[in-house]
Amino acid sequence: MKKTIKDYDLSGKKVIIRCDFNVPIENGIIKDESRLKASLKTIRYARKNNAKVILLSHLGRVQMEEDKQKYTLKPVAERLGNLLRKKVKFIAQTRGEELENAINTMKDRDVILIENTRFEDLDGKKESGNDKELGKYWASLGDIFINDAFGTIHRSHASNLGIASNLPNGIGFLVETEIKKLQKLTHKPKKPYTIILGGAKVSDKIGVISNLITKADYILIGGGMAFTFLKAAGFNIGSSICEKEKLSFCKEMLDKYQDKLILPIDVITATEMKENVQTHERFINEIEEDEMGLDIGQKTIEVFKQYLDDCKTIFWNGPVGCFEIEEFSNGTKELLNIITSTKAYTLVGGGDTARAAVTFNYQDKISHISTGGGASLAFLEEVSLPALDIIDEK
Ligand code: AMP
């Protein structure tokens, strides 16, 4: 068992908490604050126990100087302050005198948010490349390190692995909950256990397909990734999205696991991926050359339903169609309806799938919506999770 924030006496200590404040921000307005809300429990606990709270997070990908304005964490500090009913002091730098002075003058229960850790990527990928000096520097600012950012738990960054390597450490409540919920899928999941995989690309999911195919009873494949499988199975997929370099992987999996990998039998097609476009429902041997498949069809939904109805465990990652466009949202909506009507333990992971669940208002009917997409897949694959593995055992 990993140490948690509860295993430390926090009083008077400078506690660095790595949060996941990677939220969508448009013109300074936070569009979805669920990640902020999910982090409150750990921050509140640290304050209640008289810690000096130092928060760190990444936001977006910072590749050039101009990205800094777009990806500043300043709006997060303001909103977080409102949610906590306590001023969150924002430090507009990731290192330096202003930051050190602010920390040195903190009182117990004060909260500081440091600027986006990925600003350090502009200078030779120091954050994402886990630069040793940077991890050491950030660690030098505190006494205890708590990792509460599940979304990056599978990554080796200076702000998680780097700091944890240099300080007594533990996990926060958010990460603890994610582990407990995901373990229901890795430790003797109740059977039948079916996985739904969708989203744009097969390449993101190769690890999970190869690994989970032996653990789950069925994997239902939808979304853009279904078309590489369908082409590998010999169908003409028109101009649907296809990853040619993954065809042999898909063929190999289909040959080996034809009874377990379930592909669409019909799809919704169009010549363009946009609103108000003319759509057709086609069997997969009827797709025309200039058409692309953008959602699963009604017959596929019925087939998938049969594999889901009596399930005891269901995991879903990746929408089965371009759900952002009304015309191609039906499959994702219907599957949300189907899985939430079963008695199964349902776990949804991945930013887009979670967003679909919220958009179509199913969030309260799902057993657990994971805050991490890639992280939840990596957890289920049971590959090493560097930022979790480094955390001290009790
Ligand atoms: P991912 O990040 O790989 O989970 O992909 C999510 C994205 O896949 C969503 O934005 C969907 O719009 C997109 N998607 C789902 N189905 C398809 C499809 N048939 N063709 C192209 N993109 C799709």
Side-chain angles (χ1 to χ4, degrees):
M1 285 261 272
K2 294 291 177 191
K3 278 197 174 165
T4 78
I5 191 167
K6 283 189 153 178
D7 292 308
Y8 290 98
D9 174 8
L10 307 180
S11 187
K13 302 271 170 49
K14 287 179 269 182
V15 180
I16 302 175
I17 308 178
R18 172 57 161 99
C19 297
D20 181 359
F21 296 147
N22 187 27
V23 290
I25 301 179
E26 277 170 34
N27 302 322
I29 311 278
I30 299 168
K31 291 290 170 191
D32 176 4
E33 55 188 36
S34 42
R35 281 188 169 148
L36 302 192
K37 288 185 174 155
S39 68
L40 292 177
K41 192 172 171 191
T42 301
I43 300 171
R44 284 193 178 124
Y45 178 88
R47 290 197 63 233
K48 197 166 160 225
N49 286 278
N50 297 320
K52 300 177 173 78
V53 182
I54 303 161
L55 305 174
L56 276 173
S57 174
H58 77 285
L59 175 61
R61 280 214 181 104
V62 183
Q63 283 157 333
M64 44 194 169
E65 211 42 49
E66 297 83 86
D67 289 336
K68 281 184 157 180
Q69 206 186 341
K70 190 162 147 206
Y71 292 124
T72 172
L73 279 172
K74 192 162 188 279
V76 169
E78 280 164 26
R79 184 67 192 125
L80 196 61
N82 296 339
L83 291 168
L84 287 168
R85 295 205 191 91
K86 160 82 190 165
K87 184 177 166 53
V88 173
K89 185 166 183 173
F90 177 66
I91 306 295
Q93 55 179 207
T94 48
R95 60 170 99 200
E97 215 173 303
E98 186 195 340
L99 172 63
E100 290 155 27
N101 287 342
I103 290 175
N104 288 335
T105 53
M106 280 178 96
K107 298 194 189 66
D108 292 354
R109 298 168 59 84
D110 276 357
V111 186
I112 277 181
L113 173 63
I114 300 179
E115 184 55 285
N116 184 358
T117 54
R118 291 214 177 140
F119 281 21
E120 289 283 346
D121 278 353
L122 286 176
D123 183 17
K125 292 236 167 251
K126 289 206 161 77
E127 154 72 330
S128 302
N130 186 21
D131 177 82
K132 296 273 174 306
E133 287 313 308
L134 181 59
K136 242 188 209 163
Y137 171 72
W138 278 333
S140 75
L141 303 174
D143 304 308
I144 297 166
F145 174 66
I146 298 299
N147 191 350
D148 211 22
F150 184 73
T152 48
I153 207 95
H154 58 315
R155 304 275 183 225
S156 305
H157 292 168
S159 65
N160 52 26
L161 181 63
I163 308 180
S165 311
N166 291 287
L167 275 184
N169 56 56
I171 52 174
F173 295 115
L174 183 156
V175 169
E176 194 184 18
T177 304
E178 290 276 9
I179 293 172
K180 271 192 199 141
K181 305 279 182 180
L182 281 157
Q183 274 175 344
K184 290 197 188 218
L185 276 62
T186 51
H187 292 48
K188 299 197 184 111
K190 287 202 178 132
K191 300 266 195 154
Y193 169 22
T194 293
I195 294 174
I196 308 167
L197 291 180
K201 292 199 203 143
V202 180
S203 42
D204 298 341
K205 312 230 159 84
I206 284 190
V208 83
I209 296 170
S210 325
N211 190 289
L212 291 185
I213 193 84
T214 54
K215 296 184 182 143
D217 294 293
Y218 302 103
I219 299 187
L220 316 180
I221 305 217
M225 66 183 282
F227 294 94
T228 309
F229 277 97
L230 288 169
K231 189 166 171 77
F235 292 99
N236 172 19
I237 58 165
S239 51
S240 308
I241 183 171
C242 176
E243 287 170 277
K244 289 201 184 80
E245 62 297 349
K246 297 294 174 251
L247 282 170
S248 60
F249 166 81
C250 292
K251 180 146 184 8
E252 199 183 304
M253 294 308 276
L254 288 171
D255 287 345
K256 216 164 158 188
Y257 300 108
Q258 54 175 325
D259 299 335
K260 291 187 130 200
L261 277 174
I262 314 300
L263 300 181
I265 55 169
D266 64 344
V267 290
I268 307 296
T269 65
T271 50
E272 285 176 275
M273 189 196 292
K274 63 172 192 189
E275 309 267 349
N276 301 320
V277 69
Q278 170 78 48
T279 62
H280 304 276
E281 191 156 27
R282 305 253 193 239
F283 281 109
I284 43 155
N285 57 358
E286 295 172 348
I287 302 175
E288 302 203 344
E289 222 40 71
D290 61 343
E291 290 179 350
M292 50 188 144
L294 295 167
D295 193 9
I296 54 172
Q298 200 55 43
K299 302 211 168 42
T300 303
I301 295 171
E302 280 156 32
V303 171
F304 282 10
K305 185 173 185 305
Q306 288 172 16
Y307 287 98
L308 294 164
D309 268 348
D310 298 323
C311 271
K312 298 252 168 55
T313 309
I314 298 170
F315 171 69
W316 184 358
N317 182 297
V320 292
C322 298
F323 76 98
E324 300 92 336
I325 300 171
E326 167 73 25
E327 282 79 357
F328 311 111
S329 61
N330 185 55
T332 302
K333 264 187 225 167
E334 286 286 331
L335 288 193
L336 279 164
N337 187 29
I338 291 168
I339 69 161
T340 53
S341 306
T342 67
K343 294 201 173 73
Y345 177 77
T346 49
L347 201 150
V348 166
D352 287 306
T353 329
R355 195 149 48 86
V358 173
T359 308
F360 303 128
N361 216 9
Y362 284 93
Q363 69 275 27
D364 298 333
K365 297 191 180 125
I366 292 164
S367 312
H368 180 63
I369 300 182
S370 175
T371 54
S376 61
L377 286 176
F379 193 97
L380 295 186
E381 277 172 51
E382 297 182 83
V383 293
S384 72
L385 303 170
L388 181 62
D389 295 344
I390 186 76
I391 299 293
D392 299 336
E393 296 290 331
K394 285 202 198 213

